[in-house]
Each structure stands twice: as C-alpha cells, then as structure tokens.
Amino acid sequence: MRRLITVGSVKGAPGVSTAVLALAAVWPDGADGGVRPVVVEADVSGGDLAVRFGCPHTPGLLDVATSARQERPGSLLGAATALPFGVRVVAAPAGGRACAEAVRVVAGAGRHVLLGDDEDRGTVLLDVGRIGEAAAGLVEVAESVVLVSRGGADALAHAYAHLSEDGVRAERYVLAVVGPCPYAAGEIIATLGVGRVVFLPWDPKAADVLTGRARSGLRTSGWRALRLLAAAGDAARQLSGTGEVAVKGLSGDLAGLGAVPSPGGRLQPVAELAAKESAS
Ligand SMILES: Nc1ncnc2c1ncn2[C@@H]1O[C@H](COP(=O)(O)OP(=O)(O)O)[C@@H](O)[C@H]1O
Ligand SMILES: [Mg+2]
C-alpha cells in the first residue's frame, strides 16, 4: 500500500500546487524504499500542470476515474507523466464537469484506487486545491493532511475557522505557512490546534520553476538548494517520517512546551511575545 498525503487550502491560492511539487521534488530518497512519490491533481475546479508544463492531461485523472469504476482498477502510475524536473504527476484537465466528476469518483472510490495493492510502494501527494466538500473523502482517508495558508492573521483566521468545524481533527493537520508570517510555530499550534507547522519561504525563483515559467532555472545545477526547496526538504522529511527537524529559536522553545493557549486564544505576533518576555 502506498502512503496518501492530502494537500489543500481553505481560501485563495496560497501556493498549494507549488508546495506539492516542491515536496515531491525533494522527497527523501530513503523514504518508501526508494520509490519516488506521485503527485495527483484532484482539484474539482481543474488542474494547472498540463497547461503550465505543456504536457497532456491524458493519460491522467480522467483515466484514473474511469478505471476506478472497474472491478480491477489499473495502476495509478499508468496515468502519470514526468515533469521536466523529474516529478511524476497524474494531471487533470483545466476544469469542466468531467474533471469535477472525476474528482468525486476518485474521492468516493476509497483508498485502493490511489493506493494500489499491498505490494505497491511510494507516497501519493494529492493536490485537492480547496479542502471542501468534494475533497472530504480524500481528507478522511489520508495518513496526513497538509493545509497550506499564507501567514497573515486574515489567512490564518480562515484556517482556524475550518479547523474548528465539527468533525475536523485539527491535530491530524500539518499547517504549511507560505511566505512571511509574524507568528511563531508554537503560537500557531497552540491557537489552531494543528499537529505541526512548517514554514515555506516566498521564493519567486523556485516558484517560477515549479509553475513552468522558467525552465532555465533547471539548468542551474543545484536548483534544489533554492530556499523553497530546502524548506520543502525539511517538511518532506517530517511527512515521510525519515527525520525530525530541529526548530530553532523562540518557535522551537514554544513548540517544545506543547499547547500553550495564549490569553483569549488570540494569535500573538512574535514581537509581542518577545516584548512580554523582556517586560517580565
Ligand atoms: N513560495 C512561493 N514563492 C513565490 N511564489 C509562489 C510561492 N508559492 C506560490 N507562488 C506563486 O503563487 C501563484 C499561485 O500558486 P499555486 O501554487 O498555483 O497556488 P494554488 O495551488 O494554491 O492555487 C503562482 O503564480 C506561484 O508561482
Ligand atoms: Mg493549485
């Protein structure tokens, strides 16, 4: 059986697809017996990869959905295409009823369609776009759920609203914060109740490669050393269980304390925490 990790957002376009490709590109070789991960675009509002990278979306998600109805669904890998930087993806069309229906079929079909048989290995990174009703089945069956959000109070408030809903087990979630964030990891964990927080930097150079805008980036040897890829590597090691990553500084100290609710349950910027500490 493969491992399933569902990745999505609750509002806007914070960088889910970029984060998923970054995770897949730097997934540790030692995880999953050396089998590289597969990215599956399962976004009801349509995929972006085929257009961004000029690759076909067939075979792709529609074929997976078609085979899901059969008694013995074929391997997911038969529907995968390799992107220029080597990541395997099962792409979806850019939208339309067939795409939305395919996501619903795959979500309803349960784990075996995505995870294969007992002897199948590797991680499936599912880009569901928005974590909404259509993706509920794909969230439920996943080993881990990564909620991607920007780092401001407004974006985190939407994450908080989702995580507080009935039936949502916030502790299963890893919150991936993209770009600047004035809050420390421990403070976010304490307030939102997520199991873990990872920070992915704002890195246009890496994002240009991961959205197919800059193939020249690939000629730069060591593009995996770019800040976003390096941070994604830390996150991938945590998600794949191949290594714990030390969180340095105040975030690490607070994370180490576990859930410490802030007064009134309000998110406190790091600067406020530091001011409080120096006043006491
Ligand atoms: N970490 C990042 N640094 C810089 N730009 C980013 C980053 N993540 C995403 N972007 C940019 O934001 C836009 C939306 O990203 P995308 O991953 O498609 O979002 P989503 O899948 O959430 O809709 C793209 O133009 C992408 O290049
Ligand atoms: Mg996307």
Side-chain angles (χ1 to χ4, degrees), residues 78-246:
T81 308
L83 294 185
F85 40 89
V87 169
R88 293 182 299 176
V89 302
V90 174
R97 291 237 308 263
C99 177
E101 181 57 18
V103 174
R104 286 193 190 94
V105 168
V106 172
R111 288 170 59 93
H112 73 282
V113 173
L114 294 164
L115 296 188
D117 297 325
D118 286 347
E119 65 274 12
D120 287 321
R121 293 280 169 270
T123 296
V124 176
L125 291 161
L126 263 184
D127 177 350
V128 297
R130 209 46 86 71
I131 295 181
E133 223 171 275
L138 298 171
V139 168
E140 210 41 54
V141 296
E143 268 85 25
S144 312
V145 188
V146 180
L147 174 54
V148 181
S149 171
R150 293 291 167 89
D154 49 355
L156 293 174
H158 290 293
Y160 177 78
H162 168 71
L163 294 162
S164 317
E165 277 168 22
D166 281 348
V168 173
R169 288 172 285 148
E171 69 284 354
R172 290 177 66 218
Y173 282 65
V174 174
L175 186 77
V177 178
V178 175
C181 176
Y183 308 107
E187 187 64 15
I188 296 174
I189 290 169
T191 310
L192 270 60
V194 290
R196 219 175 260 225
V197 174
V198 297
F199 292 100
L200 300 177
W202 193 249
D203 183 350
K205 217 170 165 183
D208 279 353
V209 173
L210 294 166
T211 43
R213 288 189 294 254
R215 285 180 185 221
S216 60
L218 289 171
R219 288 199 290 271
T220 323
S221 62
W223 74 282
R224 285 183 170 79
L226 290 171
R227 288 183 313 129
L228 175 56
L229 281 303
D234 285 348
R237 278 189 287 282
Q238 295 183 40
L239 286 165
S240 65
T242 51
E244 277 298 321
V245 176

Side-chain angles (χ1 to χ4, degrees), residues 33-89:
V35 178
R36 299 301 302 160
V38 183
V39 168
V40 178
E41 279 197 300
D43 184 339
V44 269
S45 57
D48 285 312
L49 298 180
V51 175
R52 286 178 178 176
F53 292 96
C55 61
H57 61 75
T58 45
L61 183 76
L62 300 189
D63 302 271
V64 174
T66 305
S67 76
R69 293 202 170 100
Q70 293 161 7
E71 204 176 310
R72 286 193 61 80
S75 169
L76 181 71
L77 300 181
T81 308
L83 294 185
F85 40 89
V87 169
R88 293 182 299 176
V89 302

